[in-house]
C-alpha cells in the first residue's frame, strides 16, 4: 500500500505544523487515509452509522467495575465537572493506533491479556508484576484530577489506581537512580497507526521523570477510570497520570519501568525537542512555539464535542504540591 510520508521534524514547514495530532491528522493523515480507504474505520460517529458506532463505543467502556476502591478525599472536588465518560473515551491520543483523536476502535487491537510490567534497573528488588499482583499489592483509590494536553484542551478525569511512591517503596531504588523511564507496549504488527511507523520515529513510546517527581504524592499509576478497568483507548491496563504536566508525559499501556542514572531520551522530546521539553510542566506563561498556553478548551459534557475556554493554571492548579520540585 502506498503509505504516508512523514517528513522529519526539520523538514516540516513551520506554518504547516500545528499540534502533533492536528498536524498529522488533518494535513496528512486524513488526506492520505481518504485515498487509502482507512477513513471507514475511524469516522464511525457520522451520518447514519451513528447509533451503531455509539453502541460499539459504549461496549469499549462497559468494563468490569473495580471492587474496593477508596475515594481519596484529598483529590475529589474541583472547580469544574468531571468530563463525561463517553466524550473522554472517544477523544484520545494514542499514536501507536493513529494520528487521529478517534483511535478508540483501532485501540481495541491492543492485547491486554497476561500483561506484565517489568521493574528493573537501579533498584534493590527488581520485579515483574502481572496486573493482578499490582492490584492486590497496592491499595486502589480514586482520584479526580485535571488533565491538560499540550494541545490546549483539557478534561477532568476520575482515575483509579495507586500512587507511584508505593511502587518506589516496594522496589527501593538505590542511591545512583536519578531518573525513571516508562516504556509503552509496542509491536509493529499490532500498533499500526497510519503514518506513525516509518523508520525514523523513535518507537516505542517512552517517557521519563526525575526520581523526585515520581516520589511526589500526586504522581499516579492508573489501572482504571470511572470506577472500572481502563479502556484500551485510555492506555489499558496501566498508564501514568502526572496531573501537573502536559498529558504527553503520561505514557499509556506500560510494560517496563527502569531506574537509571542519567536522563534518557523520550518520544516527543526526541522528535521535536523545541516544542516538547523534557520537564513539560503546565505553564500558562510559556507559550508553545506555535500557540499560546494561557487558556485551554475544557471538554466536559456532550452530546457532541463542545468546550468552554478556561484560563490555564500554573502547574495545572497543583503548584502548592509540586512547585518545591522546581525551585532553584
Ligand atoms: N502514550 C502512548 N503510549 N502513546 C501516545 O500516543 N499520547 C499522550 C499520552 N500518552 C500517548 C501516550 C498524549 S499526547 C496525551 S494528551 C495523553 O496520552 C492522552 O490520554 P487520553 O487519550 O487517555 O486522554
Amino acid at each position: 500500500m502506498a503509505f504516508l510520508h512523514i517528513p522529519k521534524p526539520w523538514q516540516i514547514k513551520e506554518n504547516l505544523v500545528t499540534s502533533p495530532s492536528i498536524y498529522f491528522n488533518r494535513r496528512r493523515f486524513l488526506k492520505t487515509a481518504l485515498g487509502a480507504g482507512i477513513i471507514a474505520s475511524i469516522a464511525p460517529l457520522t451520518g447514519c452509522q451513528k447509533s451503531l458506532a455509539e453502541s460499539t463505543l459504549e461496549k469499549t467502556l462497559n468494563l468490569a467495575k473495580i471492587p474496593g476502591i477508596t475515594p481519596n478525599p484529598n483529590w475529589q472536588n474541583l472547580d469544574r465537572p468531571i468530563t463525561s465518560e463517553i466524550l473522554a473515551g472517544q477523544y484520545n491520543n494514542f499514536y501507536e493506533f493513529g494520528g487521529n483523536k478517534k483511535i478508540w476502535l483501532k485501540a481495541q487491537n491492543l492485547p491486554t491479556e497476561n500483561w506484565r510490567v517489568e521493574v528493573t534497573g537501579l533498584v534493590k528488588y527488581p520485579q515483574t508484576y502481572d496486573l493482578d499482583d499490582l492490584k492486590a499489592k497496592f491499595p486502589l483509590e480514586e482520584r479526580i484530577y485535571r488533565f491538560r494536553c499540550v494541545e490546549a484542551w483539557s478534561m477532568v478525569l476520575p482515575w483509579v489506581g495507586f500512587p507511584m511512591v508505593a511502587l518506589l517503596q516496594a522496589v527501593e531504588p538505590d542511591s545512583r537512580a536519578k531518573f525513571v523511564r516508562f516504556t509503552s507496549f509496542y509491536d509493529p504488527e499490532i500498533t499500526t497507526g497510519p503514518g506513525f511507523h516509518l523508520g525514523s520515529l523513535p518507537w516505542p513510546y517512552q517517557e521519563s521523570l526525575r526520581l523526585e517527581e515520581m516520589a511526589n504524592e500526586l504522581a499516579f499509576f492508573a489501572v482504571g477510570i470511572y470506577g472500572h478497568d481502563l479502556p484500551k483507548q485510555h492506555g489499558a491496563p496501566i498508564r501514568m497520570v502526572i496531573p501537573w504536566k502536559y498529558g504527553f508525559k503520561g505514557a499509556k499501556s506500560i510494560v517496563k519501568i527502569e531506574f537509571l542514572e542519567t536522563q534518557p531520551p523520550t518520544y516527543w522530546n526526541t522528535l521535536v525537542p523545541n516544542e516538547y521539553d523534557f520537564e513539560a510542566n503546565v505553564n500558562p506563561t510559556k507559550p508553545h512555539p506555535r500557540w499560546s498556553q494561557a487558556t485551554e478548551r475544557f471538554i466536559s459534557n456532550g452530546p457532541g464535542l463542545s468546550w468552554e475556554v478556561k484560563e490555564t493554571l500554573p502547574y495545572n492548579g497543583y503548584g502548592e504540591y509540586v512547585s518545591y520540585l522546581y525551585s532553584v
Side-chain angles (χ1 to χ4, degrees), residues 20-21 88 91-98 101 103 147-151 153 155 157 159 183-185 203-207 225 230 233-235 239-240 246-254 267-268:
S21 58
Y91 194 81
N92 304 95
N93 278 337
F94 205 165
Y95 288 90
E96 289 88 330
F97 295 99
K101 288 283 174 290
I103 50 68
F147 184 88
R148 172 62 156 80
C149 178
V150 71
E151 298 160 354
W153 53 268
M155 298 188 181
L157 299 170
W159 302 105
T183 301
S184 295
F185 175 87
W203 299 111
Y205 196 102
Q206 290 182 315
E207 258 311 332
I225 192 168
L230 263 189
Q233 57 266 45
H234 281 299
R239 68 171 290 167
M240 305 165 68
Y246 292 119
F248 72 87
K249 290 297 289 184
K252 295 178 163 185
S253 305
I254 294 167
Y267 185 83
W268 284 112

Side-chain angles (χ1 to χ4, degrees), residues 55-118:
S55 65
T56 309
L57 171 62
E58 275 163 22
K59 274 187 209 151
T60 72
L61 306 174
N62 187 14
L63 300 168
K65 287 271 166 217
I66 303 178
I69 307 166
T70 315
N72 184 322
N74 297 332
W75 315 110
Q76 289 298 312
N77 299 314
L78 289 172
D79 60 346
R80 49 190 88 175
I82 293 175
T83 299
S84 89
E85 177 167 16
I86 199 96
L87 281 185
Q90 62 178 292
Y91 194 81
N92 304 95
N93 278 337
F94 205 165
Y95 288 90
E96 289 88 330
F97 295 99
N100 188 281
K101 288 283 174 290
K102 286 195 177 1
I103 50 68
W104 60 268
L105 193 53
K106 285 212 87 188
Q108 303 315 308
N109 293 329
L110 181 76
T112 51
E113 310 75 41
N114 305 316
W115 196 269
R116 299 253 188 290
V117 182
E118 186 188 358

Side-chain angles (χ1 to χ4, degrees), residues 72 74-76 78 141-146 159 161-166 168 209 211-222 239-245 281 314-326:
N72 184 322
N74 297 332
W75 315 110
Q76 289 298 312
L78 289 172
E141 54 182 76
E142 182 184 68
R143 295 185 177 199
I144 300 172
Y145 278 161
R146 292 191 188 85
W159 302 105
F162 58 93
M164 287 190 175
V165 71
L168 290 181
L209 297 172
L211 190 65
E212 301 77 37
E213 294 177 316
M214 183 175 178
N216 182 273
E217 61 180 311
L218 282 164
F220 202 62
F221 285 117
R239 68 171 290 167
M240 305 165 68
V241 181
I242 313 294
W244 72 96
K245 292 180 180 284
N281 292 329
Y315 300 108
N316 205 19
Y318 297 103
E320 65 180 295
Y321 305 100
V322 299
S323 52
Y324 73 91
L325 288 165
Y326 309 103

